[in-house]
Each structure stands twice: as C-alpha cells, then as structure tokens.
Amino acid sequence: IFLSTRWAILLNLHAEMFRTNTVEDILQVLIVFCVESLELDFALLFPERHTLLRVLPVLVVLATSSEKESESLYKRVKINRLLNIFKNDPVIPAFPDLHLSPAAMLKELSSYFQNFSSQIRLLTLPAPHEIPPRELQDYQRHYLILNHMGTIRAEHDDFSIRFASAMNQMITLKSSDGADNDWSRDIKGNMYDTVVEGFQLLSRWTGRIWEQCAWKFSRPCKEPPISDSQQDSATFFDYEKVVRWNYTAEERRALLELIGYIKSIGLMMQHCDTLVSEALWETIHMEVQDFVQDKLDTMLRTTFRKKKDLSRILSDMRTLSADWMANTSKADPEQHSLHQETEEMRQSTFYPRPVAPTAAQIHCLQFLICELVSGGNLRKPGGLFGNSSSGIPVEDLKQLETFFYKLSFFLHILDFTATIGTLTDLGFLWFREFYLESSRVIQFPIECSLPWMLVDHVIESQDAGLLESILIPLDLYNDSAQHALTYLKQRFLYDEIEAEVDLSFDLLVQKLNEVIFTYYKSCAASTLLDSSFTYACDDGEKYFVKPLRFDAIFKLRRVMILGRTIDLRSLITQRMNKLFRENIDFLLERFEYGDLCGVVELQQLLDILELTHQSISRFLELDSYSLMISEMQENLSLVSYSSRISSQIWNEMQTDFLPNFILCNTTQRFVRSLKGAHHSSQRSDASTGKPYFYCGSHDLTMAYQGLAGLYRDFFGIPHMFAVVKLLGSRSLPGIIRALLDHISSKDNSYGAKSNRIARSTAKVYWTSFV
C-alpha cells in the first residue's frame, strides 16, 4: 500500500485518529510544543530539531482538516508564527540522501484534505525551486557552511581552550584530598556547563552539514563542466549534479575543515568520559535535589498552600525524585534543634552525591510539571509557560520552565557516549541509495563519492593547512559502516562500503606517494638549480617550492578503518621504493632512446633523484639508493662490470659517435658531421613519463630541459665529466679498454695517414677520460 499510494500511511492514520473525541486537543498541544521548541531553540540535538520540522507540516494539516473547530488552532498559534518557521527552513533533511520541503508537503497534502485547501497563506509558500532570486541569495548565505566558517573557527578555538582548562581543574580536584565542598561543586558545575556547551556546538555544526546537504540536493547543478576527457553531458547521473559538480573548491575546503572540528572536539570529549562522568552525575543529582527539596518546599509553603490539587502534584514530584539519604548529619546539631529553619540552614544540610536520576524519573517529572502548569486543561490559550491565568507567580513559573528544559538535557548528558556518537556521526555523507535506484545503476564511480571527493581535494589542492587532516574524510566510512550494520542492519550496504574503502585507500596511498615524491623532488631540483640562472630570470620566484609538511603523515602507523588497523607508514615506504625504481628505469630508458649528448641531462636528473632519496630517507626507511640504481642497471653481480648505462655509451660510440662526429679544434668540442649516415635519424621516440619523473614541477622541468638543451648539439668536456661520474670506477676501465681495442682494430685497416689520425683520436679520448 505504501509503495502504490502516496501518503497512504497518513491517510489511514487520519481515518482512525479522529474517532477519538480529544484528538483535536492533542494535535494542538503537539503543534504548540513544536512551535515553541523551534522558536526557543529548545532541542539540544540536531535530530530532534529536524524531527520537529518534519512533523510540524503534517500536524498542521491534520489539525486543520478536522470537521469541528478547525480554526481554533490559529487562536492558540498565530499563523504568522507557522509561516516564519516554514520560511526560515524551506528545506529539511529527511534521510541521508533525501530532503523534504514544508511548502511542497503542504501543497501536495491539500489535494487529499479538502478542509486544508482553504489555507491560502500556507499554500502560497514557495517551494525550493520557486524561491525568488533575491531571497535565494539570503538562503544561500544561510545554508552554505562557507559563510559561517569565521564564527565556527572562533567557537572551536574558544571551546577547546575552556574545555582543556576545565579538564585541568578536574584533574587537580581528583589529585587533591579533602577539597573544599564549595570549590569542588564550582569545578564540577563548570565541567557540566562546558559539556552542555560542547554538545550544543557539535549539534549546531553537524546540523549545518545536514542542512547544507539538503540544500544541495534541492538545488542541483544545471550544467556540469565538460572537458575533452569527459563523457557527454547526457551520461551524467543526477547524483553527480547534486554532489560531484555541486560543490566548489572553497565549499569542499570549508566542509572538510568543519568535519575536522567535529571529529576533534568529539574525540577530545570522548577520551575524558570516565573522568567527567562522576562530575556530571553529581551535578545533575544536585540540580534535581536542589529543586525538589528546596525550591518545591518553598513553593509548597508560599504559593500552593491553599491549592490542594497543585500541592498534591508538588508532593508527588518530591516523593518521586527526592533523595533524602543525601541529607547527612554534617550540619551543626544546634541548627536541627531550631523549630524554624532558615533557608541557609536547609541548604547547608544538603550534600550531593554521584547518583543520577533514571530516565523514568525524568520523564515523570516533566509530565508533572506540564500538569502543574496547564492544570489539566489542554485548551488553555498561550504557550506551555506563557499562561499567566493559572495563578502561579511569574517567579515560580520561571523556575518551573528552567527546570523543565534542564530535564531534557539530563537525558542526553547521562548517556554521554551515545550522545557524542550521535553528534559526530557523519556517515550520511556517503549514503546515496535513492539516487542509485533512480539511476538504475549498480554503483557510481569513485569520483562521485563525497568522502573520496574531500580526500582528493586535499591531495589536488596541496594545501599545507589540510594535508595533516587528509585521513579525516576516511572516518566517514567508519560512520556509514556503523550506521549500516547497527541501525539499518543491512549487510549489503556494509559490503559496498568495504569495497569502496579498499579502492579509495589504494588510491589515497598512490596519490599521497606521488605528492610526497613530487614535493621532495621539486625541492631537490630547486636546490641543485644554478643560482646564477635563477637570479638572471625576471620571475625566478617560480623556481622556489612552497613548503609543505608531511611529518604527521609519516608518523601514522595505526590507522583504524572498518575495524582494521593499517600501517600507513609501511605502505608509503613500499610504494616509495617502487616509485624510485620506476623513476630510475624511466630515465635509463629515455637515455637509451637518445644519443650520447643526452648524458649530461641524465646525470642531472639522477643527481636530483639522489638528493630526493636523501631527503625522504630522513623520514622513511627506504632501500639504499646505490642498491636501487644497481638493480635497475642490472649490475648486481660481483663479477659484472657492465651496466645499462655503460652498454648504451659503448653502443652509441660505435654506431653514432665515431662515424658521425668530428673534433673542432677551436672549441675543443666534437660536433656532428654534415656528411655520412646519421644513426640518430633511425631512433624511435621515447615514451613520455609522468611529470614527477622529471623535476617535479613544470617550471623546474622546463628550466632543466632548457639547460640540458645547451649540451644537445656537441660532445665535450661536460659530457666526459658526466660519463665518468655515471660509470664510476667499476665500469669506466672497461669502456676505455673497449674503446682502445676498437680503435686498434680500425688501425689495421687504414693506411699510415689514417693510422696517424686514429692514434691522435685515441690520444684525445684517453686524456679526456683520465
């Protein structure tokens, strides 16, 4: 029935509930409670506020659809109050990937409830897509977290300092014996107030994330950006338009920063739960006992002495929750002997203890306060505590109201761990089941996942302030997995989350290694770049690397994801060793596709790579650089005196250098002859490597390629120095020996004149290499 008929549950409820005579009164009381709770910001947790916002439109429709006295609702609650609430929150979070609009709900329900269709003012409220442009800008500023980050940062910093101060006072109190009672109560009361403020902050921040997501769902991106590498716009899913292309870079940064604040504050409060629990219980116990033993006693003796019905309710409240065992005999005996006790004496006989009331006691006290204020008459005009005709003095009414609201907070504070878990649960950012069903696909690509989008934003932006919090978005997977297993009880959802975590973590390690490798390689290239070249450039600042810090990432040995402990440092080290080997292999392969004149560039790039290895080795246990380069040159054997570099140099000398180069006596350089067969024309192009395989940044790569281009058209002393440095003492003698043997073999086939030329050439080679 639910799937085939819209609003079937509500229509069946409406048919059944109006068989009760007092249902109109109950609906009106519920509406008054919702309106006052929303106006006074009474809800401590954000789910409570969102529940009130979702319930209120349905209650208004049911109350006005009554056949009798349907207009009496607006005598107790003015319609302007309802309009203001609906206008202030045009979009309401309903489920992780769904949102509701009060205006749309009212318009749709008007076709089912004829009596409600006459409420023109409520039905003319604009839906999210009908909001005028001028009002749209105001809503945009309200819903987007980016516009509130200044206030949120100040709140976070201020609360962190005061919470740490309160914790230090609690530790001092625990370590001191025989502390003064008043001082102890002040510290514990301050701790209680700080915890309540922390809950309010977390609730407000998490609620902002919920509301921003709902706003984004209601305002999808109309035209996603299209690049040459992307598919046609017709293939974009609706989920991509509400998430992937609907968040700007600044909005992603703000969202990531706020998630970090929520997780850090929640973790800070979670770690001290055992330390503050006793203080919270004692403070709540003191609040309850102070009210029921002291304030109610005063009310009984002054206000309700002649009102037997009201005094009976007060007596029931005292009987229900008074802890008379807390009244110890520490007070002066002379005070007990007095027939008339003063207020100070009565207060001095009360000593709180860490025994909190139960949930049943709290609910009963709230009910009795409502009964006391309303006098059992639900149809009384005004709000719950806004009624002055009950005969209760304003001062007593204010005390009852304050205690009534405190009782609601007590339930959440007593369940400290569960409350923090609710307030820091951001798993809803992952869920997208509605869009999967509507798109009729099995799964979206990883780029559409909001947690991965945040991780990828940190990596791509390379913001020094965000790098240390790169793992925070992965905690969203923990929240969503916990929600899937414990609340939804759906194993298939957990399997989807687990598969995505495997993929996203592999991508994270890969991209993180590339970022670290690129940064340190850019630093090495900037360090080895000729300073005279930098000073000669007009824009030499672009060759300096912006500092980044990876110390916190290098120290991560225990990363908890879906109940598994992962050594991130070990994974980074393994991948880094592989990156160095791939880089060496690419440089050697690139040299093998070129001529002998590229040996200077090879030597420069290998020097940069070696300095990069030295920089990263200060933080990670990398393999030896000499071992890596020997391994990639296939020169690990103790009896092997040849390598890929030496083989390539010898091959180029035989096939290209000796046949095609001549010595210029003026410059003392070997240049390519204009005659003869050119071996270089038969070469194939080398494969293009990744940018970080060169010099890190694009500007540094272009600078080094420009410098290497100066050595491309000749072979001279710089090339000989590069050959000597690359070959080393192990392979250099073999090259010289092979070169002399080759010239000697040519010596037998030439005449005297040719013999003299060959010997002079050999002499030049010998002196140059030595």
Side-chain angles (χ1 to χ4, degrees):
I1 295 177
F2 172 73
L3 295 177
S4 60
T5 308
R6 289 187 60 81
W7 303 103
I9 296 178
L10 183 61
L11 294 174
N12 291 335
L13 174 64
H14 176 265
E16 294 292 333
M17 66 188 302
F18 280 97
R19 296 179 181 178
T20 307
N21 293 328
T22 59
V23 67
E24 292 89 355
D25 298 336
I26 296 174
L27 288 174
Q28 291 185 13
V29 169
L30 290 174
I31 292 174
V32 171
F33 176 77
C34 290
V35 170
E36 292 189 348
S37 298
L38 290 171
E39 290 178 343
L40 299 174
D41 199 13
F42 161 64
L44 177 63
L45 305 186
F46 70 90
E48 297 175 348
R49 182 176 182 274
H50 293 165
T51 301
L52 295 175
L53 289 172
R54 291 195 299 267
V55 164
L56 186 58
V58 178
L59 290 176
V60 171
V61 171
L62 292 176
T64 55
S65 64
S66 173
E67 296 181 357
K68 52 181 180 179
E69 300 181 5
S70 60
E71 294 298 329
S72 63
L73 167 66
Y74 302 112
K75 296 179 182 179
R76 300 191 61 185
V77 181
K78 298 299 181 182
I79 192 171
N80 289 333
R81 298 172 69 185
L82 296 174
L83 291 173
N84 289 334
I85 292 176
F86 295 149
K87 287 182 179 179
N88 291 336
D89 293 276
V91 179
I92 307 170
F95 298 98
D97 54 346
L98 286 176
H99 68 281
L100 294 176
S101 170
M105 292 173 62
L106 294 175
K107 290 179 181 179
E108 186 171 351
L109 287 173
S110 63
S111 60
Y112 294 92
F113 299 93
Q114 297 300 324
N115 292 343
F116 180 71
S117 60
S118 61
Q119 304 297 325
I120 305 300
R121 296 184 64 184
L122 291 174
L123 294 178
T124 54
L125 287 171
H129 62 280
E130 302 172 346
I131 298 176
R134 181 178 298 178
E135 297 181 8
L136 185 63
Q137 296 298 326
D138 297 334
Y139 286 123
Q140 194 91 349
R141 284 191 290 268
H142 169 72
Y143 277 104
L144 296 185
I145 297 172
L146 180 65
N147 302 315
H148 305 279
M149 283 310 299
T151 304
I152 291 174
R153 290 190 194 101
E155 291 174 345
H156 171 267
D157 297 342
D158 179 65
F159 177 77
S160 299
I161 294 173
R162 289 190 291 104
F163 187 82
S165 175
M167 286 302 303
N168 290 335
Q169 292 178 349
M170 285 295 302
I171 294 173
T172 304
L173 179 63
K174 289 277 187 180
S175 61
S176 60
D177 297 331
D180 182 67
N181 288 332
D182 293 335
W183 180 61
S184 174
R185 291 179 186 178
D186 290 341
I187 291 178
K188 293 176 180 179
N190 181 46
M191 189 75 250
Y192 171 84
D193 294 337
T194 307
V195 168
V196 172
E197 184 182 354
F199 285 167
Q200 290 173 335
L201 279 180
L202 291 175
S203 177
R204 187 158 60 247
W205 294 346
T206 309
R208 285 200 180 279
I209 296 180
W210 269 92
E211 290 165 4
Q212 177 179 266
C213 289
W215 177 256
K216 292 291 185 182
F217 286 140
S218 68
R219 311 279 311 172
C221 176
K222 295 181 180 179
E223 296 181 359
I226 303 173
S227 62
D228 295 337
S229 60
Q230 291 174 346
Q231 299 176 352
D232 185 49
S233 59
T235 62
F236 284 130
F237 301 111
D238 290 340
Y239 189 71
E240 292 182 275
K241 296 179 181 180
V242 298
V243 174
R244 184 180 182 184
W245 307 118
N246 215 14
Y247 286 84
T248 63
E250 293 78 9
E251 291 171 355
R252 295 184 188 187
R253 176 188 170 85
L255 178 59
L256 184 64
E257 188 176 355
L258 183 54
I259 291 174
Y261 288 160
I262 293 174
K263 292 298 182 180
S264 62
I265 293 296
L267 191 63
M268 181 173 62
M269 297 180 69
Q270 185 70 49
H271 283 169
C272 64
D273 57 346
T274 56
L275 183 62
V276 304
S277 58
E278 184 176 334
L280 298 179
W281 296 341
E282 185 172 318
T283 303
I284 292 175
H285 177 270
M286 183 182 66
E287 292 278 354
V288 174
Q289 300 308 313
D290 177 67
F291 182 82
V292 298
Q293 294 190 34
D294 180 41
K295 292 184 173 61
L296 287 188
D297 182 61
T298 305
M299 293 180 188
L300 281 170
R301 289 186 292 105
T302 58
T303 305
F304 303 103
R305 182 177 300 174
K306 297 181 180 180
K307 301 177 180 180
K308 294 184 179 180
D309 294 338
L310 299 181
S311 61
R312 178 186 55 80
I313 297 176
L314 293 179
S315 301
D316 291 343
M317 293 173 64
R318 300 189 77 192
T319 304
L320 176 69
S321 56
D323 182 15
W324 303 112
M325 295 179 62
N327 296 341
T328 62
S329 59
K330 292 183 181 180
D332 198 358
E334 296 180 359
Q335 296 177 353
H336 290 281
S337 63
L338 297 176
H339 296 286
Q340 294 181 350
E341 294 178 336
T342 63
E343 189 170 346
E344 289 85 0
M345 292 177 183
R346 282 195 305 275
Q347 290 181 354
S348 64
T349 60
F350 173 72
Y351 295 92
R353 56 179 182 168
V355 181
T358 63
Q361 287 177 308
I362 292 176
H363 286 302
C364 289
L365 285 174
Q366 285 182 315
F367 171 76
L368 290 175
I369 290 176
C370 291
E371 185 76 10
L372 180 68
V373 174
S374 64
N377 185 7
L378 296 177
R379 303 181 65 93
K380 199 176 296 183
L384 181 61
F385 296 99
N387 177 31
S388 59
S389 62
S390 60
I392 304 176
V394 177
E395 189 66 28
D396 293 341
L397 199 64
K398 199 166 186 98
Q399 290 183 356
L400 290 169
E401 179 183 8
T402 303
F403 187 66
F404 179 82
Y405 289 145
K406 281 184 178 181
L407 287 173
S408 334
F409 293 173
F410 291 165
L411 292 172
H412 302 302
I413 294 170
L414 291 175
D415 201 356
F416 186 84
T417 304
T419 302
I420 292 180
T422 301
L423 295 177
T424 59
D425 182 9
L426 302 175
F428 60 89
L429 294 173
W430 177 85
F431 286 95
R432 48 185 180 264
E433 297 306 306
F434 170 76
Y435 289 91
L436 282 173
E437 290 292 334
S438 62
S439 302
R440 296 183 180 181
V441 295
I442 299 177
Q443 191 56 270
F444 292 125
I446 187 68
E447 292 82 8
C448 295
S449 176
L450 187 55
W452 171 250
M453 285 169 51
L454 298 177
V455 175
D456 190 57
H457 172 71
V458 176
I459 296 174
E460 296 297 331
S461 64
Q462 296 188 20
D463 191 329
L466 294 178
L467 274 175
E468 293 186 357
S469 58
I470 192 172
L471 293 180
I472 288 179
L474 293 181
D475 200 35
L476 302 180
Y477 290 119
N478 293 332
D479 295 342
S480 58
Q482 182 74 12
H483 189 80
L485 287 179
T486 60
Y487 181 74
L488 299 176
K489 301 185 187 304
Q490 298 292 337
R491 177 58 187 267
F492 81 94
L493 279 178
Y494 178 82
D495 294 338
E496 290 182 14
I497 297 170
E498 187 178 28
E500 185 172 319
V501 167
D502 292 338
L503 176 59
S504 61
F505 199 82
D506 289 342
L507 291 175
L508 168 64
V509 174
Q510 177 185 348
K511 289 199 169 189
L512 194 57
N513 273 273
E514 292 176 357
V515 170
I516 296 172
F517 187 78
T518 302
Y519 170 72
Y520 283 104
K521 196 162 192 185
S522 300
C523 291
S526 178
T527 303
L528 296 178
L529 188 62
D530 191 352
S531 58
S532 60
F533 171 80
T534 306
Y535 294 141
C537 295
D538 296 333
D539 53 350
E541 294 182 357
K542 66 182 181 181
Y543 300 117
F544 293 97
V545 183
K546 181 177 64 175
L548 296 175
R549 294 186 60 184
F550 300 96
D551 300 8
I553 297 177
F554 290 146
K555 296 177 182 178
L556 292 174
R557 292 185 176 274
R558 295 176 59 85
V559 179
M560 295 293 297
I561 298 182
L562 302 188
R564 292 174 288 179
T565 303
I566 302 174
D567 189 349
L568 182 61
R569 178 189 176 94
S570 175
L571 295 177
I572 292 176
T573 303
Q574 295 175 13
R575 177 67 184 171
M576 195 65 68
N577 285 324
K578 183 180 179 182
L579 270 179
F580 272 102
R581 287 175 167 83
E582 290 177 353
N583 200 168
I584 294 173
D585 182 65
F586 168 75
L587 295 179
L588 295 180
E589 182 180 357
R590 190 166 182 268
F591 175 63
E592 291 171 349
Y593 279 99
D595 58 12
L596 192 57
C597 299
V599 70
V600 174
E601 183 182 14
L602 175 64
Q603 183 251 324
Q604 290 177 343
L605 295 178
L606 287 178
D607 286 346
I608 294 173
L609 190 62
E610 184 176 7
L611 183 57
T612 305
H613 182 274
Q614 293 175 5
S615 301
I616 301 180
S617 295
R618 292 181 298 168
F619 308 101
L620 301 176
E621 298 79 13
L622 299 178
D623 296 340
S624 169
Y625 180 76
S626 59
L627 174 64
M628 290 182 184
I629 200 164
S630 297
E631 180 181 338
M632 301 316 296
Q633 288 201 84
E634 303 171 3
N635 191 22
L636 289 175
S637 175
L638 296 177
V639 296
S640 175
Y641 298 99
S642 179
S643 61
R644 290 175 64 179
I645 295 179
S646 61
S647 299
Q648 177 65 15
I649 290 175
W650 171 234
N651 181 60
E652 286 296 316
M653 283 186 173
Q654 290 185 89
T655 59
D656 183 41
F657 182 74
L658 291 177
N660 300 322
F661 280 74
I662 59 175
L663 177 63
C664 179
N665 288 327
T666 304
T667 60
Q668 290 297 304
R669 294 176 176 178
F670 291 92
V671 294
R672 189 177 294 275
S673 174
L674 299 178
K675 299 180 180 180
H678 296 285
H679 175 73
S680 59
S681 61
Q682 303 175 0
R683 302 178 191 275
S684 58
D685 295 333
S687 60
T688 303
K690 299 175 182 177
Y692 53 81
F693 279 171
Y694 294 96
C695 300
S697 69
H698 175 73
D699 293 328
L700 287 168
T701 300
M702 296 303 295
Y704 272 92
Q705 287 182 353
L707 292 175
L710 301 176
Y711 302 93
R712 276 291 181 186
D713 298 329
F714 72 95
F715 185 90
I717 298 299
H719 301 79
M720 296 177 186
F721 276 112
V723 170
V724 171
K725 185 173 182 180
L726 290 173
L727 294 180
S729 59
R730 185 173 183 179
S731 300
L732 183 60
I735 287 290
I736 295 176
R737 182 72 263 173
L739 179 61
L740 293 176
D741 292 343
H742 179 73
I743 294 176
S744 298
S745 65
K746 296 293 185 181
D747 199 10
N748 298 328
S749 60
Y750 289 113
K753 185 177 179 180
S754 299
N755 190 9
R756 186 169 62 252
I757 295 174
R759 288 187 179 180
S760 63
T761 305
K763 182 178 180 181
V764 172
Y765 274 111
W766 175 258
T767 55
S768 299
F769 281 119
V770 172

